[in-house]
């Protein structure tokens, strides 16, 4: 559910590509293959969070375990997604796309069959590698197959159907968890993957940039994985020395990218204030969004008493609002330029995060979470289209593909860091608040010892004592409110970055 809002610049990556082999008779088949392929990652990114409470209960996992279920996937996807796009350019886009689908599907089967939480975490990491090949490959195939004047309709079709799958995914995942098993959340990828591979091999022509001599920045990808992985590991496992190693790896990454002849991230693009401002905004806003939505299903299911299906449907209004307002938000860009919407949108999103902090325990969905979902959806709808356009207009046309890919990767890095940072904060607040509430409610020593032994599980801690259960739920809400207020602050910081760095009307190049 943390990825329920698609990363920015997906459509921009399609627009930036060149058409080497126009699709004539097979255009619909190519769209079907790429839509289904992209939908595998969109659905997986949204349904897994709905399944987290169930698999936490099944494996008796603590907070760190369920963080790694999400983070192992996000780490490899974020670190390798730019290299995945380059692999397709060199070795063939269809070939890398099919390899990504096959790897993602195989890893999904392993996830569904995992006998313990450790194997599930490793399998999720393998899924992330498959996603890093699959995601850019699906976008590149559309670019290579549709000439510019037909690409707009293709993008509209792709965007519309993937939005529908993003909306259906959490509800479908919740239904599987409620009426079957959390394992079916992963098994659903198997038939879809088989259909995508068959369509791609049967109907999608091969294409590449024709540059076998192009160097791939494997060193950059390795340093990115080590750097971000070290920082995330330090935050989740409370090992500062590993965080120091990660920081050194990131410093080495910046040095390498600055001196590499074929960098994964051309740092000269950041000389543009608009490009830098758009990426700072993306980092702050998507960090806030991803951190809040990671813990939202845990709150709904473990504290508020929602069923998994109800929790999966809770964010449907946000997705529908963003979909319905997409054309209107594009009109705002034409009327006011990029800067004003990119200031107002995050401010409204900050108000949405603040509204999420108001509900306590209990109450109707329509009176508690529906209003903040709508406000957050409005803020994101106003922000996304201007953000994509700002990124594309900030650099020369020859770098449009690299610029959109970098911004897409930044949104994924934001999600990666958010789950680790907010998890550490929520865990600390939860434990401190839990001890105070156990004292205040005069919980017996035996029950208290039982609860404190499980405090790493947060709201999944089990007790039959009513006062103990009350203390657990109220402590979780206190921790989640802290996360929400920090998210509101990050959203406001993204608005400030837009006001300071982005010009009112960036000129297309």
């Amino acid at each position: 559910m943390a990825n329920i809002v698609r990363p920015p610049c997906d459509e921009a990556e399609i627009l930036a590509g060149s058409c080497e082999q126009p699709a004539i008779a097979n255009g619909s088949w190519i769209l079907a293959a790429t839509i289904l392929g992209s939908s595998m990652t969109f659905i997986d990114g949204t349904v897994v969070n709905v399944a987290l409470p169930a698999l936490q209960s099944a494996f008796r996992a603590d907070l760190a375990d369920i963080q790694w279920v999400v983070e192992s996937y996000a780490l490899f996807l974020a670190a390798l997604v730019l290299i995945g796009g380059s692999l397709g350019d060199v070795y063939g886009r269809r070939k890398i796309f099919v390899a990504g689908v096959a790897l993602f599907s195989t890893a999904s089967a392993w996830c569904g069959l995992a006998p313990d939480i450790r194997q599930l975490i490793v399998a999720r990491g393998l899924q992330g590698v498959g996603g890093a090949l699959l995601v850019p490959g699906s976008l590149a195939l559309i670019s290579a197959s549709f000439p510019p004047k037909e690409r707009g309709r293709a993008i509209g079709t792709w965007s519309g159907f993937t939005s529908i799958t993003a909306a259906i995914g959490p509800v479908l995942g919740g239904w599987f968890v409620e009426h079957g098993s959390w394992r079916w959340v992963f098994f659903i990828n198997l038939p879809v993957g088989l259909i995508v591979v068959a369509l791609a091999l049967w109907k999608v022509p091969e294409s590449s940039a024709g540059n076998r001599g192009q160097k791939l920045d494997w060193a950059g990808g390795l340093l990115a994985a080590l750097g971000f992985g070290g920082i995330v590991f330090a935050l989740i496992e409370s090992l500062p020395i590993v965080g120091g190693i990660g920081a050194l790896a990131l410093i080495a990454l910046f040095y390498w990218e600055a001196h590499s002849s074929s960098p994964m991230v051309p740092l000269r693009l950041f000389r543009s204030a608009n490009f830098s401002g758009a990426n700072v905004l993306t980092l702050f806003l998507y960090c806030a969004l991803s951190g809040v939505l990671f813990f939202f299903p845990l709150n709904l299911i473990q504290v508020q008493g929602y069923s998994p299906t109800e929790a999966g449907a809770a964010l449907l209004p946000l997705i529908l609002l963003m979909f319905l307002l997409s054309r209107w938000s594009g009109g705002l860009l034409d009327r006011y330029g990029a800067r004003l919407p990119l200031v107002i949108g995050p401010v409204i999103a900050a108000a949405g995060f603040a509204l999420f902090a108001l509900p306590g325990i209990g109450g109707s969905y329509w009176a508690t979470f529906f209003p903040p979902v709508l406000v957050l959806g409005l803020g994101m709808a106003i922000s996304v289209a201007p953000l994509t356009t700002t990124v594309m207009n900030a650099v020369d046309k020859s770098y449009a593909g690299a610029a959109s890919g970098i911004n897409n990767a930044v949104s994924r890095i934001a999600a990666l860091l958010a789950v680790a940072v907010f998890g550490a904060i929520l865990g600390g607040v939860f434990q401190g608040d839990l001890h105070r509430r156990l004292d205040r409610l005069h919980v017996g020593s035996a029950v208290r010892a039982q609860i404190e032994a499980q405090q790493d599980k947060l709201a999944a801690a089990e007790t039959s004592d009513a006062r103990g259960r009350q203390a657990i739920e109220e402590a979780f809400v206190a921790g989640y409110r802290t996360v929400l207020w920090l998210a509101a602050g990050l959203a406001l910081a993204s608005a400030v970055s837009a006001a300071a760095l982005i010009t009112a009307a960036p000129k297309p190049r």
Side-chain angles (χ1 to χ4, degrees):
M1 195 176 286
N3 298 317
I4 202 164
V5 177
R6 284 207 318 265
C9 287
D10 274 347
E11 289 88 346
E13 286 194 57
I14 301 172
L15 284 169
S18 59
C19 177
E20 287 114 14
Q21 186 168 347
I24 301 174
N26 291 345
S28 298
W29 293 108
I30 293 170
L31 274 177
T34 54
I35 287 169
L36 287 173
S38 299
S39 297
M40 290 173 67
T41 59
F42 290 144
I43 291 175
D44 192 83
T46 56
V47 303
V48 169
N49 280 39
V50 179
L52 285 179
L55 65 87
Q56 182 181 14
S57 176
F59 290 130
R60 297 191 169 274
D62 58 20
L63 172 62
D65 291 330
I66 63 170
Q67 282 179 291
W68 279 120
V69 169
V70 173
E71 294 289 68
S72 58
Y73 172 81
L75 173 62
F76 287 101
L77 178 59
L80 301 178
V81 68
L82 294 176
I83 291 179
S86 299
L87 280 170
D89 293 339
V90 175
Y91 296 108
R93 298 185 180 104
R94 185 185 71 170
K95 185 183 300 180
I96 299 302
F97 173 71
V98 169
V101 173
L103 183 58
F104 192 91
S105 301
T106 302
S108 297
W110 187 6
C111 289
L113 295 170
D116 56 57
I117 194 70
R118 303 300 171 208
Q119 285 201 36
L120 177 60
I121 290 169
V122 174
R124 286 283 288 163
L126 190 62
Q127 260 194 324
V129 177
L133 303 177
L134 159 60
V135 170
S138 64
L139 303 176
L141 282 172
I142 297 176
S143 297
S145 303
F146 291 89
K149 62 182 178 180
E150 296 180 16
R151 204 173 294 170
R153 181 177 296 178
I155 291 172
T157 303
W158 178 88
S159 181
F161 276 98
T162 52
S163 295
I164 291 170
T165 59
I168 293 174
V171 183
L172 183 64
W175 190 89
F176 281 143
V177 171
E178 186 175 350
H179 298 283
S181 167
W182 61 266
R183 297 180 185 276
W184 287 102
V185 167
F186 297 104
F187 287 144
I188 190 63
N189 288 324
L190 299 182
V192 177
L194 288 173
I195 293 171
V196 173
V197 169
L199 280 178
L201 295 177
W202 180 36
K203 290 292 185 179
V204 177
E206 184 60 280
S207 68
S208 69
N211 186 8
R212 286 272 180 171
Q214 178 183 341
K215 294 182 179 179
L216 298 173
D217 191 6
W218 290 110
L222 177 61
L223 287 171
L226 287 174
F228 292 113
I231 290 173
V232 167
F233 191 93
L235 289 167
I236 293 178
E237 303 294 343
S238 301
L239 289 173
I241 189 171
V242 181
I245 296 171
L248 290 175
L250 290 181
I251 293 171
L253 171 65
F254 284 115
Y255 179 84
W256 172 262
E257 295 301 300
H259 295 84
S260 173
S261 59
S262 54
M264 179 175 67
V265 180
L267 296 181
R268 59 183 172 273
L269 297 182
F270 289 91
R271 295 171 186 168
S272 164
N274 275 3
F275 185 73
S276 297
N279 281 286
V280 171
L281 184 152
T282 300
L283 181 66
F284 287 159
L285 186 58
Y286 277 76
C287 185
L289 182 72
S290 300
V292 166
L293 297 189
F294 173 79
F295 293 104
F296 189 51
L298 300 178
N299 181 33
L300 293 182
I301 295 173
Q302 295 177 341
V303 176
Q304 307 296 338
Y306 285 42
S307 70
T309 307
E310 291 170 337
L315 288 177
L316 271 178
L318 183 148
I319 304 170
L320 294 175
L321 192 63
M322 289 188 64
F323 179 73
L324 294 173
L325 296 182
S326 59
R327 185 181 296 272
W328 171 78
S329 63
L332 292 178
L333 184 68
D334 296 333
R335 293 180 62 184
Y336 303 108
R339 182 175 170 184
L340 186 60
L342 289 179
V343 172
I344 292 176
V347 169
I348 295 174
F353 291 132
L355 288 173
F356 269 103
L358 298 181
I361 299 174
S364 164
Y365 167 78
W366 303 104
T368 54
F369 295 110
F370 180 66
V373 164
L374 281 186
V375 174
L376 179 59
L378 177 61
M380 294 303 299
I382 293 173
S383 304
V384 172
L387 178 59
T388 300
T389 304
T390 300
V391 169
M392 296 299 288
N393 288 347
V395 300
D396 189 84
K397 186 178 180 182
S398 60
Y399 290 105
S404 57
I406 290 169
N407 186 252
N408 202 314
V410 167
S411 72
R412 298 181 189 281
I413 291 169
L416 173 72
L417 295 176
V419 173
V421 172
F422 286 151
I425 293 170
L426 192 151
V429 174
F430 172 83
Q431 291 185 17
D433 195 81
L434 178 64
H435 294 311
R436 289 191 294 272
R437 292 182 186 279
L438 290 174
D439 288 336
R440 191 181 309 149
L441 294 170
H442 305 292
V443 175
S445 58
V447 174
R448 180 177 186 132
Q450 178 195 32
I451 292 172
E452 289 178 345
Q454 305 175 73
Q455 61 187 2
D456 288 343
K457 295 182 180 181
L458 299 184
E462 297 175 354
T463 180
S464 58
D465 185 85
R467 288 177 298 175
R469 187 67 226 169
Q470 178 186 343
I472 291 169
E473 293 177 352
E474 291 177 350
F476 183 90
V477 171
Y480 189 45
R481 279 176 173 158
T482 303
V483 167
L484 288 161
W485 288 119
L486 290 173
L490 282 173
L492 290 176
S494 69
V496 171
S497 69
L501 296 174
I502 295 175
T503 58
K507 296 179 180 180
R509 299 184 181 182

